[in-house]
Amino acid sequence: MNALTATNRNFRYAARILGLDSKLERSLLIPFREIKVECSIPKDDGSLATFVGFRIQHDNARGPMKGGIRYHPEVDPDEVNALAQLMTWKTAVAAIPYGGAKGGIGCNPRELSMSELERLTRVFTQKIHDLIGIHRDVPAPDMGTNSQTMAWILDEYSKFHGHSPAVVTGKPIDLGGSLGREAATGLGVFFATEALLAEHGKSISNMKFAIQGFGNVGSWAAKFFHEHGGKVVAVSDITGAIKNPNGIDVPALLKYKKSNKSLNDFQGGNAMDLNDLLVHECDVLVPCALGGVLNKENAADVKAKFIIEAANHPTDPEADEILSKKGVVILPDIYANSGGVTVSYFEWVQNIQGFMWEEEKVNHELKRYMMSAFKDIKTMCQTHNCNLRMGAFTLGVNRVAQATLLRGWE
């Protein structure tokens, strides 16, 4: 099942639980605006290349729209639509004053030089500058983009609108980026896991963790679990997978990965099959990589008691049902990985105030937001007698529906 079908299904189920009016339900599902632009740039060899850029702005009832920009050859409009919609519910669950958006350019960033990427980013910004803005739509990095991409967007946008650091988040620190932003999603995953385990009378220490994906989110989450006494027993990324039943030395692995760009041949554990990670013996499974990795083929073999969805949409609805029947507790992506967008919000606030925070304050506020959202989700679960995914979806959808009605709908 693709991401859009699954997201729509979750939304409709939540709308049914909440008893939403069918006209309002339809209105909430349809994106506010879809933008598609042609981006032509001269390549370094003098030839002309043309790419398609787009931005889907899903909803702005609760505030400016917010979401990443990805550079990827397979930019699928359906998936982007689903991710824009997920951002609407995610920002509502986190109780930050944003709506949802997502965008990108269909290109392979690995095949473009630095100067080509810069020209492409600037042309894209020129095409959409009047449709984004501090109080309209605030982009952020995503797959294939980074803080440098944001710096180019900021510079190009500022040529039209004057210096506007709050127009994008995920910027370099020197241009108004927030301290703590890099670790934010991984730290949010850690706080979310801590809240869930406490609910079940357990703590991070001595729990066994298996982590799929060792990029930004997975590596930070592993570091925090390790520091708080958790045992990371298996880790994988696209280069390979390793396991150690006594716990992997995470700082040593981080150092190894930094110098070797790979997990292969790391001495502190044994190599294992990439596909075995999801069904590895552990207490807590943390998928931090791609969507759709838990499906009807492997769900029955999952041994973890808790799944923390650090990736977007890692669990197919079919897998969801199989896992629920087994009694596996799943902490849904729209809450579990909302640390990133929450600290993006802090960055935006700091830029608007023109006053930057200490990293300690950023992390303290992040913990407060994550704990508060978990309490709100649990309240929805009790009110509607539903699981955590529906608790989160009903919470998010209800907040957006209320804002829509209050602003005057119909």
Side-chain angles (χ1 to χ4, degrees), residues 188-204 207 209 225 283-286 304-309 327-332 335-336 370-371 373-375 377-378 381 387-389:
V189 166
F190 168 76
F191 289 144
T193 308
E194 202 174 34
L196 179 68
L197 293 176
E199 182 74 24
H200 290 264
K202 295 176 164 50
S203 69
I204 300 278
M207 293 296 266
F209 295 84
F225 291 142
D283 300 309
V284 184
L285 173 63
V286 190
K305 301 167 196 70
F306 300 94
I307 295 175
I308 313 292
E309 294 190 331
V328 177
V329 178
I330 302 175
L331 198 61
Y335 166 66
M370 294 298 295
M371 295 305 172
F374 186 75
K375 275 204 202 78
I377 292 169
K378 287 303 293 182
C381 291
N387 64 13
L388 288 164
R389 188 180 311 282

Side-chain angles (χ1 to χ4, degrees), residues 63-270:
M65 294 165 283
K66 185 93 193 73
I69 286 182
R70 52 176 54 185
Y71 288 3
H72 193 266
E74 307 285 315
V75 174
D76 169 34
D78 265 6
E79 186 183 19
V80 175
N81 217 316
L83 292 170
Q85 193 197 130
L86 271 178
M87 283 304 291
T88 298
W89 317 133
K90 184 184 291 185
T91 51
V93 168
I96 53 181
Y98 285 144
K102 205 76 171 185
I105 301 177
C107 68
N108 188 344
R110 288 205 183 98
E111 289 170 7
L112 296 170
S113 70
M114 200 65 165
S115 59
E116 286 167 343
L117 282 169
E118 178 175 354
R119 286 196 289 275
L120 180 57
T121 303
R122 290 183 183 276
V123 168
F124 182 49
T125 309
Q126 287 163 19
K127 296 282 174 98
I128 67 166
H129 77 88
D130 52 348
L131 296 167
I132 61 172
I134 298 169
H135 299 294
R136 187 170 279 177
D137 177 3
V138 182
D142 201 307
M143 270 160 68
T145 56
N146 54 26
S147 59
Q148 179 58 70
T149 320
M150 297 304 109
W152 291 327
I153 296 176
L154 162 63
D155 183 67
E156 198 60 35
Y157 180 87
S158 296
K159 288 176 186 174
F160 295 95
H161 303 274
H163 184 57
S164 314
V167 71
V168 286
T169 58
K171 298 181 293 294
I173 301 291
D174 292 337
L175 286 176
S178 177
L179 295 171
R181 175 66 189 86
E182 198 194 326
T185 311
L187 184 56
V189 166
F190 168 76
F191 289 144
T193 308
E194 202 174 34
L196 179 68
L197 293 176
E199 182 74 24
H200 290 264
K202 295 176 164 50
S203 69
I204 300 278
S205 59
N206 296 321
M207 293 296 266
K208 291 181 182 160
F209 295 84
I211 298 176
Q212 187 203 31
F214 206 63
N216 176 283
V217 183
S219 59
W220 281 104
K223 178 179 180 292
F224 295 126
F225 291 142
H226 181 79
E227 282 172 2
H228 289 79
K231 265 190 192 177
V232 178
V233 293
V235 167
S236 74
D237 70 0
I238 44 173
T239 63
I242 50 164
K243 60 180 176 182
N244 182 339
N246 302 315
I248 293 164
D249 179 348
V250 175
L253 180 61
L254 286 165
K255 214 162 152 187
Y256 181 84
K257 166 120 194 234
K258 198 174 177 185
S259 52
N260 294 281
K261 304 273 180 276
S262 158
L263 299 181
N264 287 330
D265 303 323
F266 174 66
Q267 294 307 300
N270 302 320

